[in-house]
């Protein structure tokens, strides 16, 4: 088998097939090999270690859930680095939009509009908590701790869960909330 202009040896081919088969040991090896370098790569964009760690952990969850198979170890490498870059750029773009919105709100809303906005925001929070109540128990528990400002590591320790489980539950909660409330509402509430 040929990969990246060279012949793929049996060991590489075996590792690749184990990754594509979602074998846990191979995935752990992949995580161990790429986690730190990808976090450092993300730091070039985001400058906040915890956020970079979140990006990389979320990416590995996505890779685990990914249906397509990788064709070579090089394609895994390219996919991981391109994904981190794209996620970081999207986060930066989102921050910029959010900042513009808050600048507009602070500079242009009248007192009357501000009161209307606060009433709308209160209604949105009521809707949010109704949706949170619909989440499965473990997912709800993780998300509420996240809303309380707890870090992923703290949540994992408090609930005796793995860090990856905490990340997965948070991601499931956010996806469900986005689906139920819409992206605009989630942005207004500052959940992203």
């Amino acid at each position: 088998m040929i990969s990246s202009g060279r012949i793929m040896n049996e060991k590489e081919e075996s590792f690749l097939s184990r990754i594509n088969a979602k074998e846990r040991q191979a995935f752990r090896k992949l995580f161990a090999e790429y986690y730190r370098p990808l976090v450092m790569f993300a730091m070039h964009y985001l400058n906040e270690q915890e956020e970079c760690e979140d990006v990389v952990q979320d990416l590995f969850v996505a890779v685990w859930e990914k249906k397509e198979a990788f064709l070579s170890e090089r394609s895994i490498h390219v996919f991981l680095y391109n994904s981190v870059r794209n996620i970081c750029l999207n986060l930066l773009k989102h921050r910029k939009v959010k900042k513009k919105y808050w600048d507009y709100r602070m500079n242009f809303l009248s007192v009357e509009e501000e009161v209307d906005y606060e009433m709308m925001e209160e209604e949105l929070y009521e809707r949010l908590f109704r949706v949170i109540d619909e989440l499965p128990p473990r997912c709800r528990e993780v998300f509420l701790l996240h809303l309380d400002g707890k870090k992923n590591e703290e949540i994992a320790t408090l609930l005796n869960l793995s860090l990856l489980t905490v990340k997965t539950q948070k991601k499931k909660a956010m996806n469900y909330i986005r689906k139920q409330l819409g992206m605009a509402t989630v942005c207004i509430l500052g959940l992203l």
Side-chain angles (χ1 to χ4, degrees), residues 128-135 140 143-144 147 177:
L128 170 66
F129 281 98
R130 280 195 303 271
V131 170
I132 290 172
D133 286 340
E134 297 170 3
L135 293 169
R140 179 176 53 246
F143 193 73
L144 288 172
L147 286 180
I177 291 167

Side-chain angles (χ1 to χ4, degrees), residues 3 5 15 19 22 27 52 55 57 64 75-76 79 84 96 118 120 138 141 157 167 179 183 190:
S3 168
F15 178 69
I19 288 293
K22 306 297 183 203
F27 194 76
C52 294
V55 164
Q57 289 171 2
W64 181 258
S75 68
I76 295 171
F79 174 82
V84 167
K96 193 175 182 179
E118 286 173 10
M120 181 183 77
R138 179 62 73 182
E141 196 173 12
T157 302
K167 292 271 187 185
K179 182 179 173 188
M183 189 63 153

Side-chain angles (χ1 to χ4, degrees), residues 92-104:
L92 291 171
K93 189 185 328 178
H94 175 72
R95 282 183 191 165
K96 193 175 182 179
V97 168
K98 196 172 178 180
K99 183 183 177 335
K100 280 184 181 180
Y101 168 76
W102 286 109
D103 288 348
Y104 166 79

Side-chain angles (χ1 to χ4, degrees), residues 64-77:
W64 181 258
E65 295 171 348
K66 182 176 168 54
K67 300 282 188 247
E68 300 92 39
F70 293 103
L71 300 176
S72 68
E73 285 190 48
R74 178 74 182 146
S75 68
I76 295 171
H77 177 88

Side-chain angles (χ1 to χ4, degrees), residues 20-75:
N20 288 334
K22 306 297 183 203
E23 187 182 298
R24 288 183 188 273
Q25 285 299 87
F27 194 76
R28 283 187 184 111
K29 182 179 176 184
L30 182 72
F31 184 86
E33 183 176 333
Y34 279 98
Y35 179 76
R36 269 290 135 215
L38 288 171
V39 169
M40 296 308 294
F41 180 68
M43 290 287 290
H44 293 290
Y45 295 95
L46 302 178
N47 299 321
E48 190 178 310
Q49 172 114 12
E50 187 172 315
E51 187 175 27
C52 294
E53 290 172 357
D54 287 348
V55 164
V56 174
Q57 289 171 2
D58 287 346
L59 174 60
F60 274 99
V61 169
V63 169
W64 181 258
E65 295 171 348
K66 182 176 168 54
K67 300 282 188 247
E68 300 92 39
F70 293 103
L71 300 176
S72 68
E73 285 190 48
R74 178 74 182 146
S75 68

Side-chain angles (χ1 to χ4, degrees), residues 2 6 9 17 24 28 52-53 59 61 73 86 101 113 129 151 161 163 172 188 192:
I2 297 180
R6 61 182 169 79
N9 66 39
S17 65
R24 288 183 188 273
R28 283 187 184 111
C52 294
E53 290 172 357
L59 174 60
V61 169
E73 285 190 48
N86 291 338
Y101 168 76
E113 290 171 317
F129 281 98
K151 305 283 186 215
L161 299 172
L163 193 56
K172 285 180 181 178
I188 289 169
L192 293 180

